[in-house]
């Protein structure tokens, strides 16, 4: 397993961008304190969502305000889902499982 970040490094209502093997990953903490990981690039425009907002279990893309579900990656609009990345959260840190 690869350690990505400490849980305390993930801000409220904003994603934390980390990189693994050249790939951008966004770590997000929802309102219940659960941590999720999602691909950095918006599947609609291919642009970074690192400046997006985390609201009501969704990552809001800063470019067109599409909302991607943090658990499924699905978007309520006609858009391909964002890739959800499998992580393990333990001992105050976030680890990439694959």
């Amino acid at each position: 397993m690869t350690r990505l970040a400490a849980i305390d490094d993930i801000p409220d209502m904003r994603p934390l961008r980390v990189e693994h093997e050249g790939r951008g990953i966004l770590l997000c903490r929802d309102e219940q304190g659960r941590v999720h990981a999602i691909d950095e690039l918006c599947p609609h425009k291919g642009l970074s969502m690192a400046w997006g907002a985390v609201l009501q279990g969704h990552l809001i893309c800063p470019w067109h305000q599409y909302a991607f579900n943090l658990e499924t990656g699905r978007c309520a609009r006609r858009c391909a889902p964002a890739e959800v990345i499998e992580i393990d959260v333990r001992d105050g840190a976030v680890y990439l499982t694959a």
Side-chain angles (χ1 to χ4, degrees):
M1 282 194 209
T2 303
R3 185 180 187 277
L4 297 175
I7 293 172
D8 291 341
D9 291 341
I10 303 170
D12 291 333
M13 300 179 67
R14 303 291 296 190
L16 172 67
R17 184 190 185 280
V18 296
E19 194 168 306
H20 176 70
E21 296 181 356
R23 178 185 187 187
I25 298 171
L26 301 180
L27 301 178
C28 305
R29 190 171 26 186
D30 66 19
E31 289 80 5
Q32 289 77 38
R34 296 175 298 199
V35 178
H36 306 271
I38 196 164
D39 189 75
E40 173 187 14
L41 298 179
C42 171
H44 176 240
K45 292 282 187 182
L47 300 170
S48 174
M49 296 191 286
W51 294 104
V54 178
L55 296 169
Q56 299 175 344
H58 292 79
L59 174 61
I60 312 300
C61 179
W63 303 104
H64 48 61
Q65 287 68 54
Y66 282 15
F68 295 93
N69 184 292
L70 292 173
E71 292 182 11
T72 66
R74 289 189 173 164
C75 181
R77 296 191 179 171
R78 289 180 150 181
C79 180
E83 183 180 351
V84 173
I85 299 161
E86 192 172 334
I87 56 171
D88 185 29
V89 179
R90 60 183 163 86
D91 303 324
V94 181
Y95 296 87
L96 186 64
T97 58

